Amino acid sequence: MEDQITRTIELKAPIERVWKALTDHDEFGSWFRLSLHGPFKVGELTLGVTEYPGHEGLPFWARVVAMDEPRLFSFIWPMDESIRPDDPELDHKTTRVEFTLEPTASGTKLTVRETGFESLPENRRLQAFRDNQGGWDQQTANIKKFVE
């Protein structure tokens, strides 16, 4: 099994616009279909609930790892909504998401990479990977529509 999911998309929007869509919690929530309760800050949790059809009201959290404007935004998040951020086994229940931005002649190249599936419990690993593969297909389409 692979340990990472990678999606790359060309966006017809300036890098500053894409950066804001990724790092402003209200904008991120809009295209990712979340209601977030506060801003993204390095080292801190951002909490919220999902608004995605069929998953409405489920808890969401992410801990920001890096914000290197306008090139890199990264966070860890749980493999499912039952994982709490104070779980002592958190290293084996989260994956890392990185958004890397590069300016192009026509806008911005966005690469989304999620890693860490190998550290998840063996009985959950494959399903989490499959679910997130489809999820990133949808989310890259969502951000494209949002910023263009």
Side-chain angles (χ1 to χ4, degrees):
M1 187 188 118
E2 292 182 56
D3 187 45
Q4 71 177 13
I5 298 167
T6 304
R7 298 290 183 267
T8 301
I9 188 168
E10 181 75 27
L11 303 170
K12 292 183 174 92
I15 197 168
E16 296 82 12
R17 176 69 194 104
V18 178
W19 178 258
K20 185 175 182 195
L22 290 170
T23 61
D24 177 280
H25 73 285
D26 289 325
E27 290 205 14
F28 185 92
S30 183
W31 65 267
F32 211 87
R33 298 190 176 133
L34 298 167
S35 176
L36 297 176
H37 305 315
F40 292 118
K41 294 181 183 177
V42 175
E44 294 186 19
L45 286 175
T46 299
L47 304 171
V49 295
T50 60
E51 295 178 345
Y52 205 85
H55 302 278
E56 298 95 332
L58 294 176
F60 172 89
W61 67 266
R63 184 183 315 277
V64 177
V65 175
M67 291 179 82
D68 183 11
E69 185 175 355
R71 300 179 308 113
L72 174 70
F73 174 52
S74 179
F75 56 77
I76 63 165
W77 66 348
M79 65 182 176
D80 67 43
E81 67 279 352
S82 71
I83 309 303
R84 299 182 45 86
D86 59 355
D87 189 310
E89 298 291 319
L90 204 57
D91 289 346
H92 301 290
K93 296 178 181 178
T94 59
T95 56
R96 181 177 174 141
V97 176
E98 289 185 359
F99 299 93
T100 306
L101 292 78
E102 297 176 47
T104 65
S106 61
T108 305
K109 176 181 163 185
L110 172 64
T111 302
V112 181
R113 181 170 291 115
E114 184 174 9
T115 59
F117 293 95
E118 291 291 329
S119 69
L120 300 180
E122 191 172 341
N123 65 334
R124 299 293 313 279
R125 194 176 297 160
L126 185 58
Q127 189 62 50
F129 186 83
R130 287 179 178 160
D131 289 348
N132 290 13
Q133 278 186 309
W136 287 119
D137 292 338
Q138 182 62 53
Q139 296 299 3
T140 52
N142 288 352
I143 193 171
K144 182 174 180 65
K145 185 177 177 182
F146 187 78
V147 299
E148 290 186 350

